[in-house]
Short mmCIF file of all heavy atoms in Angstrom, two decimals:
data_model
loop_
_atom_site.label_atom_id
_atom_site.label_comp_id
_atom_site.label_asym_id
_atom_site.label_seq_id
_atom_site.Cartn_x
_atom_site.Cartn_y
_atom_site.Cartn_z
N LYS A 157 -3.94 33.65 20.85
CA LYS A 157 -4.44 34.30 22.08
C LYS A 157 -5.64 35.19 21.77
O LYS A 157 -6.45 35.48 22.64
CB LYS A 157 -3.32 35.13 22.71
CG LYS A 157 -2.18 34.27 23.22
CD LYS A 157 -1.12 35.12 23.90
CE LYS A 157 -0.02 34.23 24.44
NZ LYS A 157 1.29 34.59 23.91
N VAL A 158 -5.69 35.68 20.53
CA VAL A 158 -6.78 36.56 20.12
C VAL A 158 -7.47 35.95 18.89
O VAL A 158 -6.79 35.56 17.94
CB VAL A 158 -6.25 37.97 19.76
CG1 VAL A 158 -7.39 38.91 19.40
CG2 VAL A 158 -5.43 38.56 20.91
N LEU A 159 -8.79 35.88 18.94
CA LEU A 159 -9.53 35.33 17.80
C LEU A 159 -10.46 36.40 17.24
O LEU A 159 -11.25 36.99 17.97
CB LEU A 159 -10.34 34.11 18.23
CG LEU A 159 -11.16 33.44 17.13
CD1 LEU A 159 -10.26 32.78 16.09
CD2 LEU A 159 -12.10 32.38 17.72
N ILE A 160 -10.32 36.63 15.94
CA ILE A 160 -11.19 37.60 15.27
C ILE A 160 -12.22 36.83 14.46
O ILE A 160 -11.88 35.95 13.67
CB ILE A 160 -10.35 38.49 14.32
CG1 ILE A 160 -9.58 39.54 15.12
CG2 ILE A 160 -11.20 39.14 13.28
CD1 ILE A 160 -8.71 40.44 14.25
N LEU A 161 -13.48 37.15 14.66
CA LEU A 161 -14.55 36.48 13.91
C LEU A 161 -15.39 37.53 13.19
O LEU A 161 -16.01 38.37 13.83
CB LEU A 161 -15.44 35.69 14.86
CG LEU A 161 -14.77 34.59 15.68
CD1 LEU A 161 -15.10 34.75 17.15
CD2 LEU A 161 -15.19 33.23 15.20
N ASP A 162 -15.35 37.49 11.87
CA ASP A 162 -16.12 38.46 11.09
C ASP A 162 -17.44 37.81 10.68
O ASP A 162 -17.47 37.00 9.75
CB ASP A 162 -15.29 38.89 9.86
CG ASP A 162 -15.80 40.17 9.23
OD1 ASP A 162 -16.82 40.70 9.70
OD2 ASP A 162 -15.16 40.64 8.27
N GLU A 163 -18.48 38.16 11.37
CA GLU A 163 -19.82 37.59 11.15
C GLU A 163 -19.79 36.06 11.10
O GLU A 163 -20.12 35.46 10.07
CB GLU A 163 -20.43 38.17 9.89
CG GLU A 163 -20.65 39.66 10.03
CD GLU A 163 -21.40 40.26 8.86
OE1 GLU A 163 -22.18 39.54 8.22
OE2 GLU A 163 -21.20 41.45 8.60
N PRO A 164 -19.41 35.46 12.21
CA PRO A 164 -19.23 33.99 12.20
C PRO A 164 -20.52 33.20 12.04
O PRO A 164 -20.48 32.06 11.60
CB PRO A 164 -18.61 33.72 13.58
CG PRO A 164 -19.06 34.84 14.43
CD PRO A 164 -19.15 36.03 13.53
N THR A 165 -21.65 33.78 12.40
CA THR A 165 -22.88 32.99 12.37
C THR A 165 -23.82 33.44 11.25
O THR A 165 -24.99 33.07 11.25
CB THR A 165 -23.62 33.06 13.72
OG1 THR A 165 -23.84 34.43 14.03
CG2 THR A 165 -22.82 32.41 14.82
N ALA A 166 -23.28 34.21 10.28
CA ALA A 166 -24.13 34.66 9.17
C ALA A 166 -24.64 33.45 8.39
O ALA A 166 -23.86 32.58 8.02
CB ALA A 166 -23.33 35.58 8.26
N GLY A 167 -25.94 33.39 8.20
CA GLY A 167 -26.52 32.32 7.40
C GLY A 167 -26.56 30.97 8.09
O GLY A 167 -26.75 29.94 7.44
N VAL A 168 -26.33 30.96 9.41
CA VAL A 168 -26.32 29.70 10.15
C VAL A 168 -27.66 29.55 10.87
O VAL A 168 -28.18 30.52 11.42
CB VAL A 168 -25.15 29.72 11.16
CG1 VAL A 168 -25.24 28.59 12.14
CG2 VAL A 168 -23.82 29.69 10.42
N ASP A 169 -28.24 28.32 10.88
CA ASP A 169 -29.55 28.17 11.52
C ASP A 169 -29.44 28.35 13.03
O ASP A 169 -28.36 28.29 13.62
CB ASP A 169 -30.21 26.85 11.13
CG ASP A 169 -29.48 25.64 11.68
OD1 ASP A 169 -29.18 25.64 12.89
OD2 ASP A 169 -29.20 24.71 10.92
N ILE A 170 -30.61 28.57 13.66
CA ILE A 170 -30.63 28.98 15.07
C ILE A 170 -29.94 27.96 15.98
O ILE A 170 -29.15 28.32 16.85
CB ILE A 170 -32.08 29.23 15.52
CG1 ILE A 170 -32.60 30.46 14.79
CG2 ILE A 170 -32.18 29.42 17.02
CD1 ILE A 170 -34.09 30.68 14.90
N GLU A 171 -30.23 26.68 15.74
CA GLU A 171 -29.67 25.64 16.61
C GLU A 171 -28.13 25.64 16.54
O GLU A 171 -27.44 25.62 17.57
CB GLU A 171 -30.21 24.29 16.17
CG GLU A 171 -30.01 23.21 17.19
CD GLU A 171 -30.41 21.85 16.64
OE1 GLU A 171 -31.15 21.80 15.66
OE2 GLU A 171 -29.95 20.86 17.21
N LEU A 172 -27.66 25.73 15.31
CA LEU A 172 -26.22 25.72 15.12
C LEU A 172 -25.59 26.99 15.68
O LEU A 172 -24.52 26.97 16.28
CB LEU A 172 -25.92 25.60 13.62
CG LEU A 172 -24.46 25.42 13.23
CD1 LEU A 172 -23.88 24.21 13.93
CD2 LEU A 172 -24.35 25.25 11.72
N ARG A 173 -26.32 28.11 15.50
CA ARG A 173 -25.81 29.38 16.01
C ARG A 173 -25.60 29.29 17.51
O ARG A 173 -24.59 29.71 18.04
CB ARG A 173 -26.79 30.51 15.68
CG ARG A 173 -26.21 31.88 15.93
CD ARG A 173 -27.19 32.96 15.63
NE ARG A 173 -27.73 32.86 14.27
CZ ARG A 173 -28.85 33.44 13.87
NH1 ARG A 173 -29.58 34.15 14.72
NH2 ARG A 173 -29.26 33.32 12.64
N ARG A 174 -26.59 28.69 18.18
CA ARG A 174 -26.47 28.59 19.64
C ARG A 174 -25.33 27.67 20.04
O ARG A 174 -24.63 27.92 21.02
CB ARG A 174 -27.80 28.14 20.25
CG ARG A 174 -28.81 29.26 20.17
CD ARG A 174 -30.11 29.01 20.89
NE ARG A 174 -31.06 30.07 20.55
CZ ARG A 174 -31.12 31.24 21.18
NH1 ARG A 174 -30.31 31.49 22.19
NH2 ARG A 174 -31.99 32.15 20.81
N SER A 175 -25.12 26.60 19.28
CA SER A 175 -24.00 25.71 19.64
C SER A 175 -22.67 26.42 19.38
O SER A 175 -21.69 26.23 20.09
CB SER A 175 -24.08 24.38 18.89
OG SER A 175 -23.63 24.52 17.58
N MET A 176 -22.65 27.29 18.36
CA MET A 176 -21.43 28.07 18.11
C MET A 176 -21.21 29.09 19.21
O MET A 176 -20.07 29.37 19.61
CB MET A 176 -21.49 28.74 16.74
CG MET A 176 -21.20 27.75 15.61
SD MET A 176 -21.59 28.40 13.98
CE MET A 176 -20.21 29.46 13.66
N TRP A 177 -22.30 29.64 19.73
CA TRP A 177 -22.18 30.59 20.86
C TRP A 177 -21.55 29.88 22.05
O TRP A 177 -20.66 30.41 22.70
CB TRP A 177 -23.55 31.12 21.27
CG TRP A 177 -24.15 32.09 20.31
CD1 TRP A 177 -23.62 32.53 19.14
CD2 TRP A 177 -25.41 32.74 20.46
NE1 TRP A 177 -24.48 33.40 18.53
CE2 TRP A 177 -25.58 33.55 19.32
CE3 TRP A 177 -26.42 32.72 21.42
CZ2 TRP A 177 -26.71 34.34 19.13
CZ3 TRP A 177 -27.54 33.51 21.24
CH2 TRP A 177 -27.70 34.31 20.10
N ASP A 178 -22.03 28.66 22.32
CA ASP A 178 -21.48 27.89 23.46
C ASP A 178 -19.98 27.66 23.26
O ASP A 178 -19.19 27.81 24.18
CB ASP A 178 -22.18 26.53 23.59
CG ASP A 178 -23.62 26.69 24.06
OD1 ASP A 178 -23.94 27.76 24.61
OD2 ASP A 178 -24.43 25.75 23.85
N PHE A 179 -19.64 27.30 22.03
CA PHE A 179 -18.23 27.03 21.72
C PHE A 179 -17.38 28.28 21.96
O PHE A 179 -16.33 28.23 22.59
CB PHE A 179 -18.11 26.57 20.25
CG PHE A 179 -16.70 26.25 19.85
CD1 PHE A 179 -16.13 25.02 20.14
CD2 PHE A 179 -15.93 27.19 19.17
CE1 PHE A 179 -14.82 24.72 19.78
CE2 PHE A 179 -14.62 26.91 18.80
CZ PHE A 179 -14.07 25.67 19.10
N MET A 180 -17.89 29.42 21.47
CA MET A 180 -17.13 30.68 21.61
C MET A 180 -17.03 31.09 23.08
O MET A 180 -15.98 31.57 23.52
CB MET A 180 -17.78 31.78 20.79
CG MET A 180 -17.58 31.62 19.29
SD MET A 180 -18.14 33.05 18.37
CE MET A 180 -19.82 32.65 18.03
N GLN A 181 -18.11 30.86 23.82
CA GLN A 181 -18.08 31.22 25.25
C GLN A 181 -17.07 30.36 26.01
O GLN A 181 -16.33 30.86 26.85
CB GLN A 181 -19.47 31.10 25.85
CG GLN A 181 -20.28 32.37 25.62
CD GLN A 181 -21.72 32.27 26.06
OE1 GLN A 181 -22.35 31.23 25.88
NE2 GLN A 181 -22.24 33.35 26.62
N ASP A 182 -17.03 29.06 25.69
CA ASP A 182 -16.06 28.16 26.34
C ASP A 182 -14.63 28.60 26.01
O ASP A 182 -13.76 28.60 26.88
CB ASP A 182 -16.26 26.71 25.87
CG ASP A 182 -17.55 26.12 26.43
OD1 ASP A 182 -18.10 26.70 27.39
OD2 ASP A 182 -18.01 25.09 25.89
N LEU A 183 -14.46 28.97 24.77
CA LEU A 183 -13.13 29.42 24.31
C LEU A 183 -12.70 30.67 25.07
O LEU A 183 -11.57 30.80 25.53
CB LEU A 183 -13.24 29.72 22.82
CG LEU A 183 -11.97 29.78 21.99
CD1 LEU A 183 -11.33 28.40 21.95
CD2 LEU A 183 -12.30 30.23 20.57
N ASN A 184 -13.64 31.60 25.22
CA ASN A 184 -13.37 32.84 25.94
C ASN A 184 -13.08 32.58 27.42
O ASN A 184 -12.16 33.14 28.00
CB ASN A 184 -14.56 33.79 25.77
CG ASN A 184 -14.34 35.12 26.46
OD1 ASN A 184 -15.03 35.47 27.39
ND2 ASN A 184 -13.34 35.86 26.00
N LYS A 185 -13.85 31.66 28.00
CA LYS A 185 -13.63 31.31 29.42
C LYS A 185 -12.24 30.70 29.61
O LYS A 185 -11.61 30.87 30.64
CB LYS A 185 -14.70 30.31 29.88
CG LYS A 185 -15.97 30.99 30.34
CD LYS A 185 -16.98 29.97 30.82
CE LYS A 185 -18.38 30.56 30.77
NZ LYS A 185 -19.40 29.56 30.49
N ALA A 186 -11.78 29.99 28.57
CA ALA A 186 -10.45 29.36 28.65
C ALA A 186 -9.33 30.38 28.45
O ALA A 186 -8.15 30.03 28.49
CB ALA A 186 -10.34 28.24 27.62
N GLY A 187 -9.69 31.64 28.18
CA GLY A 187 -8.67 32.69 28.13
C GLY A 187 -8.46 33.36 26.79
O GLY A 187 -7.68 34.31 26.68
N THR A 188 -9.12 32.88 25.73
CA THR A 188 -8.93 33.50 24.41
C THR A 188 -9.74 34.80 24.32
O THR A 188 -10.92 34.82 24.63
CB THR A 188 -9.39 32.54 23.28
OG1 THR A 188 -8.75 31.29 23.47
CG2 THR A 188 -9.07 33.09 21.91
N THR A 189 -9.06 35.85 23.91
CA THR A 189 -9.77 37.12 23.68
C THR A 189 -10.52 36.99 22.36
O THR A 189 -9.95 36.54 21.37
CB THR A 189 -8.75 38.28 23.56
OG1 THR A 189 -7.91 38.25 24.71
CG2 THR A 189 -9.46 39.62 23.45
N ILE A 190 -11.79 37.35 22.37
CA ILE A 190 -12.57 37.21 21.13
C ILE A 190 -13.10 38.58 20.69
O ILE A 190 -13.64 39.33 21.49
CB ILE A 190 -13.74 36.22 21.32
CG1 ILE A 190 -13.17 34.83 21.65
CG2 ILE A 190 -14.61 36.15 20.07
CD1 ILE A 190 -14.19 33.73 21.77
N ILE A 191 -12.89 38.85 19.42
CA ILE A 191 -13.40 40.09 18.82
C ILE A 191 -14.30 39.68 17.68
O ILE A 191 -13.86 38.96 16.78
CB ILE A 191 -12.23 40.96 18.30
CG1 ILE A 191 -11.35 41.37 19.49
CG2 ILE A 191 -12.75 42.19 17.57
CD1 ILE A 191 -9.95 41.70 19.13
N LEU A 192 -15.57 40.09 17.74
CA LEU A 192 -16.44 39.66 16.64
C LEU A 192 -17.25 40.81 16.07
O LEU A 192 -17.52 41.80 16.76
CB LEU A 192 -17.32 38.49 17.07
CG LEU A 192 -18.76 38.67 17.51
CD1 LEU A 192 -19.50 37.37 17.31
CD2 LEU A 192 -18.83 39.07 18.95
#
Side-chain angles (χ1 to χ4, degrees):
Chain A
K157 294 183 178 123
V158 183
L159 180 67
I160 283 179
L161 300 129
D162 197 357
E163 296 186 28
T165 55
V168 169
D169 67 49
I170 292 168
E171 195 187 341
L172 187 56
R173 191 181 305 161
R174 288 187 189 275
S175 79
M176 283 168 78
W177 288 0
D178 290 341
F179 181 82
M180 287 188 270
Q181 275 174 321
D182 289 344
L183 199 65
N184 182 244
K185 275 181 202 149
T188 308
T189 307
I190 298 184
I191 297 156
L192 98 157

